[in-house]
Amino acid sequence: MVEEAQGPINFTMLLTLFGDRLNGTDEESHIMNAFKLFDGEAKGTIHRDMLREILTAQGNPAERLTDQQFNQVLEGAPIDNKGNMDYGAFTRIIKRGKQDDE
């Protein structure tokens, strides 16, 4: 997917790439359920460090993100001052675009 980008990947480009992949495939509820698997306390948030571990160090090595890619993915994401990402808001941004969240 990263290779499909025309130029540097910023948050907007990532959303476009995600949107191209997700449009018509996964409903918001499916994405939310995937995030909920990592939210043991059902707070609606995932800590940035936990998400970094999941996306950069776990799973198939060929599909892991680099630290730089991870930082690009979360650029502009709804993360509070404690490092918690609101995955509901992030899912809406992925599926509908940033303007829906503003």
Side-chain angles (χ1 to χ4, degrees):
M1 179 169 70
V2 173
E3 293 79 24
E4 297 172 20
Q6 298 177 8
I9 297 178
N10 58 25
F11 190 64
T12 304
M13 176 60 72
L14 176 75
L15 292 178
T16 300
L17 292 171
F18 269 152
D20 289 346
R21 296 286 180 166
L22 297 175
N23 190 18
T25 57
D26 291 326
E27 296 179 17
E28 284 184 38
S29 62
H30 293 149
I31 298 167
M32 289 287 294
N33 288 336
F35 280 123
K36 286 178 183 178
L37 292 173
F38 302 102
D39 181 13
E41 297 178 12
K43 292 182 175 181
T45 62
I46 297 176
H47 196 275
R48 178 186 178 99
D49 294 342
M50 177 188 232
L51 193 58
R52 179 184 298 277
E53 173 69 18
I54 293 165
L55 296 176
T56 64
Q58 296 182 13
N60 182 344
E63 295 177 356
R64 294 178 188 162
L65 297 180
T66 65
D67 283 333
Q68 181 182 7
Q69 290 169 329
F70 175 80
N71 291 333
Q72 289 175 336
V73 165
L74 291 189
E75 186 178 300
I79 299 175
D80 67 18
N81 59 358
K82 295 181 181 178
N84 296 307
M85 182 187 74
D86 177 339
Y87 58 80
F90 190 57
T91 299
R92 285 188 296 278
I93 291 170
I94 290 170
K95 289 298 288 181
R96 303 181 207 169
K98 185 105 173 123
Q99 73 280 357
D100 190 62
D101 193 48
E102 295 176 344

XYZ file of all heavy atoms in Angstrom:
805
model
N 0.827 -1.190 0.000
C 0.000 0.000 0.000
C 0.868 1.249 0.000
O 0.567 2.191 -0.707
C -0.923 -0.013 1.220
C -1.796 1.211 1.314
S -3.115 1.153 2.543
C -2.227 1.234 4.054
N 1.939 1.261 0.796
C 2.800 2.439 0.888
C 3.420 2.761 -0.468
O 3.570 3.925 -0.823
C 3.889 2.218 1.963
C 4.887 3.348 1.963
C 3.257 2.057 3.328
N 3.724 1.719 -1.237
C 4.332 1.926 -2.544
C 3.389 2.638 -3.509
O 3.815 3.215 -4.492
C 4.768 0.585 -3.146
C 5.906 -0.078 -2.405
C 5.447 -0.782 -1.123
O 4.261 -1.157 -1.014
O 6.278 -0.929 -0.219
N 2.081 2.600 -3.242
C 1.093 3.235 -4.117
C 1.041 4.749 -3.948
O 0.467 5.437 -4.779
C -0.294 2.655 -3.833
C -0.401 1.181 -4.136
C -1.713 0.589 -3.659
O -2.674 1.349 -3.447
O -1.769 -0.636 -3.492
N 1.611 5.248 -2.881
C 1.568 6.691 -2.617
C 2.408 7.436 -3.643
O 3.472 6.993 -4.031
C 2.085 6.986 -1.220
N 1.888 8.560 -4.058
C 2.617 9.400 -4.995
C 3.286 10.511 -4.215
O 2.766 11.603 -4.092
C 1.665 9.957 -6.042
C 1.022 8.881 -6.873
C 0.032 9.439 -7.865
O -0.088 10.643 -8.040
N -0.688 8.568 -8.533
N 4.451 10.223 -3.643
C 5.172 11.191 -2.844
C 5.179 10.789 -1.381
O 4.793 9.687 -1.020
N 5.620 11.716 -0.518
C 5.707 11.418 0.914
C 4.331 11.125 1.509
O 3.323 11.680 1.073
C 6.283 12.694 1.531
C 6.697 13.561 0.405
C 6.053 13.061 -0.837
N 4.313 10.249 2.486
C 3.052 9.900 3.121
C 2.833 10.791 4.331
O 3.604 10.779 5.270
C 3.045 8.422 3.559
C 3.171 7.523 2.347
C 1.781 8.102 4.340
C 3.226 6.067 2.659
N 1.777 11.581 4.275
C 1.340 12.343 5.432
C -0.016 11.780 5.842
O -0.509 10.818 5.255
C 1.276 13.846 5.127
C 0.351 14.151 3.973
O -0.574 13.427 3.657
N 0.613 15.278 3.314
N -0.619 12.354 6.851
C -1.871 11.808 7.370
C -2.963 11.806 6.302
O -3.687 10.828 6.141
C -2.311 12.601 8.596
C -3.456 11.978 9.330
C -3.321 10.741 9.928
C -4.662 12.623 9.418
C -4.377 10.152 10.604
C -5.730 12.051 10.098
C -5.578 10.808 10.697
N -3.047 12.865 5.526
C -4.065 12.949 4.484
C -3.859 11.867 3.436
O -4.813 11.208 3.012
C -4.049 14.343 3.830
O -4.229 15.329 4.842
C -5.126 14.468 2.778
N -2.606 11.657 3.036
C -2.306 10.623 2.047
C -2.643 9.246 2.608
O -3.207 8.398 1.918
C -0.826 10.670 1.636
C -0.424 9.559 0.675
S -1.320 9.545 -0.891
C -0.609 10.965 -1.670
N -2.328 9.029 3.882
C -2.638 7.751 4.505
C -4.145 7.506 4.500
O -4.603 6.407 4.181
C -2.116 7.701 5.938
C -2.495 6.415 6.662
C -1.644 5.265 6.184
C -2.379 6.599 8.145
N -4.915 8.529 4.851
C -6.367 8.380 4.852
C -6.883 8.057 3.458
O -7.793 7.242 3.299
C -7.036 9.647 5.380
C -6.814 9.951 6.851
C -7.496 11.256 7.221
C -7.305 8.828 7.731
N -6.284 8.687 2.457
C -6.682 8.410 1.083
C -6.395 6.962 0.726
O -7.243 6.263 0.165
C -5.950 9.353 0.104
O -6.281 10.702 0.438
C -6.338 9.069 -1.338
N -5.192 6.496 1.087
C -4.839 5.106 0.808
C -5.735 4.145 1.572
O -6.214 3.155 1.026
C -3.370 4.851 1.159
C -2.348 5.553 0.279
C -0.945 5.390 0.864
C -2.400 5.003 -1.134
N -5.960 4.433 2.858
C -6.862 3.605 3.648
C -8.265 3.628 3.042
O -8.921 2.597 2.942
C -6.949 4.095 5.089
C -5.971 3.466 6.023
C -5.542 4.166 7.128
C -5.488 2.187 5.834
C -4.653 3.613 8.021
C -4.595 1.612 6.720
C -4.174 2.325 7.818
N -8.719 4.811 2.681
C -10.056 4.937 2.120
C -10.213 4.123 0.852
O -11.234 3.467 0.640
N -9.177 4.156 -0.002
C -9.218 3.367 -1.226
C -9.329 1.886 -0.911
O -10.027 1.138 -1.577
C -7.967 3.613 -2.075
C -7.960 4.992 -2.700
O -9.015 5.665 -2.701
O -6.891 5.403 -3.183
N -8.641 1.453 0.129
C -8.668 0.043 0.526
C -9.950 -0.325 1.255
O -10.456 -1.424 1.118
C -7.483 -0.281 1.446
C -6.156 -0.136 0.806
C -5.913 -1.271 -0.136
N -4.621 -1.082 -0.740
C -3.989 -2.001 -1.397
N -4.520 -3.178 -1.556
N -2.824 -1.755 -1.917
N -10.450 0.580 2.079
C -11.569 0.260 2.959
C -12.925 0.585 2.363
O -13.939 0.044 2.805
C -11.414 0.990 4.291
C -10.194 0.602 5.111
C -10.101 1.478 6.351
C -10.235 -0.860 5.509
N -12.966 1.457 1.396
C -14.240 1.877 0.827
C -14.967 0.669 0.246
O -14.486 0.014 -0.643
C -14.030 2.943 -0.244
C -15.329 3.573 -0.665
O -16.335 3.479 0.027
N -15.303 4.223 -1.809
N -16.126 0.386 0.804
C -16.915 -0.713 0.294
C -16.487 -2.072 0.806
O -17.054 -3.082 0.399
N -15.498 -2.124 1.681
C -15.044 -3.425 2.168
C -15.389 -3.607 3.642
O -16.176 -4.469 3.976
C -13.529 -3.605 1.956
O -12.832 -2.542 2.595
C -13.179 -3.621 0.482
N -14.797 -2.835 4.502
C -15.031 -2.986 5.930
C -15.916 -1.860 6.442
O -15.644 -0.692 6.201
C -13.711 -2.949 6.712
C -12.856 -4.167 6.469
O -13.442 -5.247 6.283
O -11.629 -4.047 6.475
N -16.938 -2.234 7.153
C -17.789 -1.236 7.780
C -17.067 -0.671 8.996
O -16.154 -1.289 9.536
C -19.104 -1.880 8.214
C -19.920 -2.402 7.059
C -21.200 -3.066 7.522
O -21.611 -2.856 8.686
O -21.786 -3.791 6.722
N -17.510 0.504 9.420
C -16.908 1.117 10.607
C -16.960 0.168 11.795
O -16.015 0.095 12.577
C -17.615 2.427 10.951
C -17.233 3.567 10.048
C -17.867 4.883 10.474
O -17.972 5.149 11.682
O -18.238 5.655 9.576
N -18.039 -0.566 11.921
C -18.174 -1.474 13.065
C -17.101 -2.548 13.063
O -16.610 -2.942 14.130
C -19.566 -2.114 13.087
O -19.777 -2.897 11.929
N -16.680 -3.007 11.887
C -15.622 -4.015 11.821
C -14.284 -3.439 12.266
O -13.523 -4.099 12.980
C -15.500 -4.577 10.402
C -16.692 -5.364 9.978
N -17.100 -5.420 8.675
C -17.577 -6.114 10.679
C -18.186 -6.167 8.587
N -18.495 -6.602 9.790
N -14.012 -2.228 11.836
C -12.762 -1.574 12.228
C -12.772 -1.309 13.733
O -11.789 -1.565 14.425
C -12.553 -0.267 11.433
C -12.456 -0.581 9.936
C -11.292 0.462 11.908
C -12.554 0.636 9.047
N -13.905 -0.831 14.222
C -14.042 -0.572 15.662
C -13.838 -1.850 16.464
O -13.150 -1.855 17.491
C -15.418 0.014 15.973
C -15.608 1.431 15.504
S -14.702 2.606 16.509
C -15.586 2.422 18.050
N -14.422 -2.953 16.013
C -14.259 -4.226 16.717
C -12.805 -4.672 16.741
O -12.351 -5.256 17.728
C -15.152 -5.300 16.106
C -16.609 -5.090 16.428
O -16.959 -4.448 17.416
N -17.483 -5.617 15.592
N -12.071 -4.399 15.673
C -10.648 -4.735 15.653
C -9.896 -3.925 16.709
O -9.077 -4.472 17.455
C -10.066 -4.477 14.264
N -10.179 -2.635 16.806
C -9.543 -1.807 17.830
C -9.948 -2.261 19.230
O -9.128 -2.299 20.147
C -9.887 -0.327 17.656
C -9.082 0.384 16.610
C -9.699 1.026 15.555
C -7.699 0.443 16.689
C -8.966 1.710 14.599
C -6.947 1.115 15.737
C -7.584 1.744 14.686
N -11.206 -2.631 19.402
C -11.703 -3.040 20.718
C -10.980 -4.263 21.267
O -10.887 -4.435 22.483
C -13.209 -3.310 20.659
C -14.032 -2.054 20.563
C -15.522 -2.371 20.449
C -16.331 -1.100 20.279
N -17.764 -1.365 20.129
N -10.450 -5.089 20.385
C -9.687 -6.258 20.836
C -8.494 -5.859 21.695
O -8.051 -6.634 22.543
C -9.196 -7.068 19.634
C -10.256 -7.788 18.808
C -9.625 -8.395 17.567
C -10.943 -8.858 19.647
N -7.984 -4.659 21.483
C -6.804 -4.190 22.200
C -7.155 -3.191 23.306
O -6.267 -2.606 23.911
C -5.805 -3.573 21.215
C -5.395 -4.546 20.149
C -5.945 -4.468 18.883
C -4.491 -5.555 20.423
C -5.582 -5.380 17.899
C -4.122 -6.467 19.453
C -4.671 -6.386 18.187
N -8.429 -3.027 23.566
C -8.916 -2.094 24.588
C -9.548 -2.901 25.720
O -10.766 -2.964 25.854
C -9.928 -1.127 23.957
C -10.467 -0.094 24.941
O -9.886 0.048 26.043
O -11.468 0.554 24.603
N -8.708 -3.504 26.533
C -9.163 -4.387 27.598
C -10.068 -3.728 28.625
O -10.894 -4.394 29.252
N -9.932 -2.425 28.808
C -10.739 -1.718 29.798
C -11.959 -1.035 29.194
O -12.691 -0.341 29.897
C -9.870 -0.697 30.533
C -8.733 -1.351 31.315
C -7.845 -0.340 32.013
O -8.221 0.849 32.083
O -6.772 -0.739 32.480
N -12.183 -1.233 27.910
C -13.332 -0.657 27.191
C -13.468 0.846 27.411
O -14.556 1.365 27.627
C -14.618 -1.386 27.583
N -12.348 1.559 27.302
C -12.351 3.017 27.475
C -12.573 3.767 26.162
O -12.792 4.967 26.169
C -11.013 3.464 28.069
C -10.789 3.022 29.496
C -9.465 3.565 29.998
C -9.246 3.246 31.454
N -7.970 3.793 31.935
N -12.461 3.058 25.052
C -12.599 3.731 23.759
C -11.297 4.319 23.271
O -11.284 5.066 22.302
N -10.205 3.979 23.956
C -8.891 4.491 23.562
C -7.861 3.360 23.569
O -8.037 2.347 24.241
C -8.395 5.596 24.512
O -8.259 5.056 25.832
C -9.346 6.779 24.523
N -6.811 3.583 22.818
C -5.644 2.704 22.833
C -4.436 3.609 22.997
O -4.310 4.622 22.302
C -5.513 1.912 21.524
C -6.724 0.991 21.326
C -4.221 1.098 21.523
C -6.708 0.241 20.017
N -3.546 3.246 23.908
C -2.350 4.067 24.114
C -1.424 3.946 22.910
O -1.253 2.870 22.331
C -1.619 3.661 25.392
C -0.642 4.695 25.829
N 0.643 4.749 25.332
C -0.780 5.738 26.669
C 1.270 5.783 25.868
N 0.416 6.408 26.681
N -0.855 5.075 22.557
C 0.046 5.153 21.404
C 1.150 4.098 21.474
O 1.477 3.465 20.468
C 0.641 6.561 21.341
C 1.621 6.776 20.230
C 2.272 8.165 20.352
N 3.240 8.332 19.308
C 3.028 8.989 18.188
N 1.873 9.560 17.971
N 3.955 9.087 17.268
N 1.729 3.878 22.647
C 2.826 2.909 22.781
C 2.360 1.483 22.503
O 3.080 0.695 21.897
C 3.455 2.996 24.171
C 4.162 4.321 24.414
O 4.477 5.037 23.431
O 4.402 4.652 25.590
N 1.148 1.160 22.950
C 0.607 -0.180 22.692
C 0.364 -0.360 21.198
O 0.684 -1.410 20.626
C -0.684 -0.409 23.468
C -1.326 -1.745 23.184
S -2.945 -1.866 23.955
C -2.745 -3.393 24.814
N -0.211 0.653 20.564
C -0.466 0.584 19.139
C 0.845 0.472 18.360
O 0.942 -0.294 17.399
C -1.263 1.809 18.697
C -1.886 1.749 17.313
C -2.829 0.567 17.169
C -2.623 3.048 17.019
N 1.868 1.204 18.810
C 3.187 1.112 18.170
C 3.711 -0.318 18.247
O 4.193 -0.873 17.254
C 4.191 2.064 18.819
C 5.595 1.973 18.201
C 6.608 2.851 18.924
N 6.268 4.248 18.865
C 6.557 5.052 17.839
N 7.172 4.590 16.777
N 6.214 6.329 17.881
N 3.603 -0.936 19.418
C 4.061 -2.311 19.597
C 3.325 -3.258 18.645
O 3.934 -4.111 17.996
C 3.851 -2.750 21.048
C 4.125 -4.204 21.316
C 5.583 -4.617 21.214
O 6.473 -3.741 21.269
O 5.829 -5.826 21.082
N 2.024 -3.098 18.554
C 1.209 -3.964 17.705
C 1.585 -3.815 16.230
O 1.751 -4.804 15.517
C -0.294 -3.651 17.899
C -0.730 -4.042 19.303
C -1.143 -4.363 16.850
C -2.072 -3.449 19.723
N 1.734 -2.584 15.789
C 1.945 -2.333 14.364
C 3.389 -2.444 13.894
O 3.631 -2.623 12.704
C 1.388 -0.958 13.989
C -0.121 -0.798 14.141
C -0.537 0.627 13.828
C -0.869 -1.786 13.270
N 4.347 -2.336 14.820
C 5.753 -2.383 14.403
C 6.487 -3.650 14.825
O 7.548 -3.947 14.283
C 6.542 -1.173 14.940
O 6.575 -1.223 16.367
C 5.951 0.145 14.460
N 5.941 -4.407 15.788
C 6.705 -5.539 16.314
C 5.951 -6.873 16.307
O 6.551 -7.904 16.548
C 7.168 -5.227 17.739
N 4.658 -6.857 16.066
C 3.895 -8.096 16.113
C 3.392 -8.476 14.729
O 3.330 -7.654 13.829
C 2.714 -7.958 17.078
C 3.144 -7.749 18.505
C 1.955 -7.657 19.462
O 0.833 -7.975 19.119
N 2.225 -7.208 20.669
N 2.993 -9.727 14.590
C 2.414 -10.186 13.329
C 3.462 -10.520 12.289
O 4.647 -10.672 12.586
N 3.031 -10.628 11.068
C 3.876 -10.987 9.942
C 4.951 -9.917 9.729
O 4.626 -8.753 9.502
C 3.002 -11.120 8.692
C 3.773 -11.541 7.466
O 4.982 -11.474 7.406
N 3.033 -11.975 6.458
N 6.225 -10.306 9.785
C 7.304 -9.308 9.621
C 7.199 -8.490 8.334
O 7.538 -7.307 8.332
C 8.576 -10.151 9.632
C 8.206 -11.370 10.421
C 6.762 -11.635 10.084
N 6.701 -9.073 7.282
C 6.597 -8.357 6.007
C 5.511 -7.277 6.043
O 5.526 -6.356 5.229
C 6.304 -9.337 4.874
N 4.587 -7.362 6.994
C 3.494 -6.404 7.074
C 3.663 -5.389 8.200
O 2.821 -4.514 8.372
C 2.169 -7.149 7.251
C 1.823 -8.007 6.054
C 0.551 -8.805 6.251
O -0.042 -8.768 7.343
O 0.155 -9.487 5.288
N 4.730 -5.492 8.953
C 4.970 -4.556 10.054
C 5.341 -3.181 9.515
O 5.987 -3.046 8.487
C 6.103 -5.057 10.940
C 5.771 -6.317 11.674
C 6.953 -6.787 12.484
N 6.671 -8.106 13.035
C 7.599 -8.926 13.489
N 8.875 -8.565 13.466
N 7.260 -10.095 13.966
N 4.942 -2.161 10.255
C 5.329 -0.796 9.904
C 6.692 -0.479 10.495
O 7.050 -0.990 11.555
C 4.310 0.196 10.467
C 2.876 0.116 9.963
C 2.026 1.183 10.645
C 2.798 0.261 8.466
N 7.420 0.393 9.830
C 8.632 0.942 10.430
C 8.207 2.023 11.413
O 7.048 2.475 11.390
C 9.552 1.564 9.359
O 8.873 2.693 8.789
C 9.921 0.559 8.273
N 9.117 2.469 12.263
C 8.782 3.565 13.183
C 8.367 4.814 12.413
O 7.436 5.519 12.808
C 9.963 3.880 14.107
C 10.107 2.862 15.219
O 9.099 2.235 15.611
O 11.234 2.684 15.710
N 9.046 5.081 11.299
C 8.703 6.252 10.495
C 7.293 6.118 9.918
O 6.507 7.069 9.957
C 9.703 6.433 9.360
C 9.407 7.652 8.486
C 10.371 7.805 7.335
O 11.204 6.935 7.078
N 10.271 8.903 6.630
N 6.951 4.950 9.403
C 5.610 4.735 8.866
C 4.560 4.867 9.966
O 3.507 5.465 9.756
C 5.509 3.357 8.214
C 6.287 3.233 6.934
C 6.399 1.798 6.455
O 6.419 0.862 7.255
N 6.472 1.622 5.147
N 4.854 4.311 11.147
C 3.922 4.416 12.262
C 3.663 5.875 12.609
O 2.516 6.286 12.786
C 4.460 3.667 13.484
C 3.595 3.835 14.696
C 2.442 3.093 14.853
C 3.923 4.761 15.674
C 1.626 3.262 15.965
C 3.120 4.935 16.788
C 1.970 4.183 16.929
N 4.731 6.664 12.694
C 4.571 8.089 13.014
C 3.737 8.798 11.953
O 2.923 9.672 12.273
C 5.932 8.756 13.181
C 6.645 8.283 14.423
O 6.027 7.866 15.401
N 7.963 8.324 14.398
N 3.914 8.418 10.705
C 3.134 9.024 9.629
C 1.666 8.625 9.732
O 0.786 9.447 9.484
C 3.692 8.613 8.266
C 5.020 9.255 7.955
C 5.627 8.742 6.654
O 5.331 7.647 6.210
N 6.498 9.555 6.060
N 1.410 7.372 10.100
C 0.031 6.902 10.245
C -0.705 7.732 11.285
O -1.856 8.118 11.091
C -0.004 5.409 10.633
C -1.377 4.983 11.135
C 0.409 4.541 9.457
N -0.048 8.023 12.387
C -0.724 8.720 13.475
C -0.619 10.240 13.426
O -1.159 10.915 14.290
C -0.209 8.210 14.822
C -0.600 6.782 15.164
C -0.244 6.454 16.597
C -2.068 6.520 14.934
N 0.032 10.766 12.405
C 0.125 12.221 12.271
C -1.279 12.794 12.094
O -2.002 12.448 11.177
C 0.986 12.574 11.058
C 1.268 14.039 10.910
C 2.165 14.293 9.711
O 3.285 13.769 9.694
O 1.710 15.005 8.801
N -1.701 13.632 13.029
C -3.030 14.219 12.967
C -4.121 13.364 13.581
O -5.286 13.743 13.578
N -3.759 12.194 14.111
C -4.754 11.319 14.749
C -5.195 11.918 16.084
O -4.461 12.685 16.707
C -4.152 9.928 14.973
N -6.408 11.574 16.535
C -6.933 12.123 17.797
C -6.272 11.473 19.021
O -6.764 10.483 19.554
C -8.426 11.814 17.724
C -8.522 10.598 16.847
C -7.388 10.724 15.870
N -5.130 12.028 19.431
C -4.376 11.508 20.572
C -4.325 12.584 21.646
O -3.941 13.722 21.375
C -2.949 11.099 20.161
C -3.021 9.992 19.098
C -2.144 10.636 21.370
C -1.682 9.590 18.531
N -4.703 12.212 22.880
C -4.708 13.193 23.966
C -3.299 13.378 24.535
O -2.344 12.722 24.104
C -5.723 12.818 25.061
C -5.369 11.553 25.823
O -4.198 11.105 25.795
O -6.282 10.990 26.478
N -3.173 14.269 25.509
C -1.854 14.594 26.065
C -1.245 13.458 26.878
O -0.077 13.517 27.236
C -1.916 15.881 26.886
C -2.903 15.794 28.033
O -3.583 14.790 28.207
N -2.991 16.854 28.809
N -2.017 12.408 27.156
C -1.484 11.233 27.854
C -1.065 10.134 26.881
O -0.595 9.080 27.292
C -2.519 10.679 28.836
C -2.828 11.630 29.969
C -3.844 11.032 30.916
C -4.156 12.016 32.037
N -5.183 11.475 32.947
N -1.263 10.369 25.597
C -0.871 9.395 24.577
C -1.954 8.420 24.179
O -1.692 7.442 23.491
N -3.193 8.678 24.596
C -4.303 7.786 24.266
C -4.999 8.234 22.984
O -5.395 9.384 22.859
C -5.321 7.758 25.410
C -4.729 7.193 26.668
O -4.163 6.106 26.659
N -4.840 7.922 27.763
N -5.145 7.284 22.055
C -5.826 7.576 20.800
C -7.286 7.157 20.903
O -7.590 6.028 21.272
C -5.188 6.836 19.630
C -5.850 7.178 18.304
S -5.284 6.189 16.920
C -6.097 4.632 17.256
N -8.180 8.060 20.562
C -9.611 7.774 20.504
C -9.853 7.008 19.198
O -9.903 7.587 18.122
C -10.390 9.087 20.528
C -11.891 8.918 20.399
O -12.354 7.865 19.904
O -12.609 9.857 20.783
N -9.995 5.689 19.307
C -10.092 4.899 18.085
C -11.448 5.036 17.387
O -11.543 4.795 16.191
C -9.709 3.437 18.307
C -10.509 2.672 19.344
C -11.761 2.146 19.053
C -9.979 2.436 20.603
C -12.469 1.428 19.992
C -10.679 1.707 21.553
C -11.931 1.199 21.238
O -12.625 0.477 22.163
N -12.476 5.465 18.090
C -13.755 5.750 17.430
C -13.613 6.925 16.479
O -14.033 6.860 15.318
N -12.998 7.994 16.980
C -12.773 9.174 16.145
C -11.813 8.849 15.001
O -12.015 9.292 13.864
C -12.225 10.321 16.985
N -10.785 8.049 15.284
C -9.818 7.669 14.257
C -10.497 6.845 13.162
O -10.254 7.055 11.970
C -8.661 6.904 14.884
C -7.503 6.670 13.956
C -6.850 7.714 13.338
C -7.045 5.383 13.711
C -5.769 7.498 12.492
C -5.969 5.151 12.875
C -5.336 6.210 12.258
N -11.378 5.947 13.564
C -12.108 5.134 12.596
C -12.980 6.018 11.703
O -13.027 5.832 10.483
C -12.985 4.082 13.308
O -12.131 3.218 14.068
C -13.795 3.257 12.323
N -13.646 6.995 12.288
C -14.470 7.914 11.491
C -13.607 8.697 10.508
O -14.005 8.910 9.353
C -15.255 8.856 12.392
C -16.439 8.172 13.085
C -17.321 9.142 13.831
N -16.635 9.804 14.941
C -16.458 9.280 16.153
N -16.900 8.058 16.414
N -15.839 9.951 17.096
N -12.434 9.108 10.946
C -11.522 9.832 10.052
C -11.102 8.929 8.897
O -11.091 9.351 7.737
C -10.285 10.346 10.822
C -10.681 11.457 11.796
C -9.225 10.842 9.854
C -9.583 11.847 12.764
N -10.769 7.686 9.210
C -10.349 6.745 8.165
C -11.471 6.534 7.149
O -11.252 6.562 5.943
C -9.931 5.394 8.782
C -8.623 5.539 9.558
C -9.792 4.323 7.691
C -8.267 4.318 10.395
N -12.669 6.317 7.627
C -13.784 5.992 6.739
C -14.406 7.195 6.051
O -14.832 7.101 4.914
C -14.877 5.242 7.520
C -14.511 3.829 7.914
C -14.265 2.928 6.703
C -15.567 2.614 5.993
N -15.431 1.754 4.845
N -14.468 8.329 6.735
C -15.206 9.476 6.191
C -14.338 10.676 5.849
O -14.783 11.592 5.175
C -16.269 9.920 7.186
C -17.224 8.825 7.556
C -18.242 9.351 8.519
N -18.750 8.291 9.375
C -19.487 8.478 10.428
N -19.814 9.695 10.800
N -19.915 7.467 11.151
N -13.139 10.720 6.403
C -12.271 11.855 6.155
C -12.207 12.785 7.343
O -13.061 12.773 8.218
N -11.183 13.588 7.384
C -10.905 14.480 8.506
C -12.005 15.520 8.718
O -12.337 15.847 9.835
C -9.567 15.178 8.309
C -9.133 16.037 9.450
C -8.051 15.382 10.236
C -7.509 16.329 11.274
N -7.612 15.799 12.604
N -12.589 16.026 7.645
C -13.585 17.090 7.770
C -14.777 16.656 8.594
O -15.418 17.471 9.240
C -14.045 17.608 6.403
C -14.956 16.660 5.632
C -14.215 15.556 4.913
O -12.984 15.486 4.925
N -14.941 14.673 4.261
N -15.098 15.370 8.647
C -16.236 14.880 9.426
C -15.977 15.014 10.914
O -16.897 15.120 11.702
C -16.503 13.411 9.065
C -17.809 12.931 9.643
O -18.859 13.486 9.284
O -17.776 12.005 10.470
N -14.706 15.011 11.317
C -14.339 15.055 12.724
C -14.227 16.486 13.240
O -14.181 16.717 14.425
C -13.015 14.314 12.931
C -12.705 14.046 14.387
O -13.596 13.555 15.104
O -11.568 14.344 14.823
N -14.129 17.460 12.354
C -13.912 18.856 12.765
C -15.203 19.544 13.105
O -16.248 19.218 12.677
C -13.176 19.614 11.661
C -11.773 19.065 11.466
C -11.054 19.729 10.320
O -11.690 20.403 9.472
O -9.845 19.588 10.243
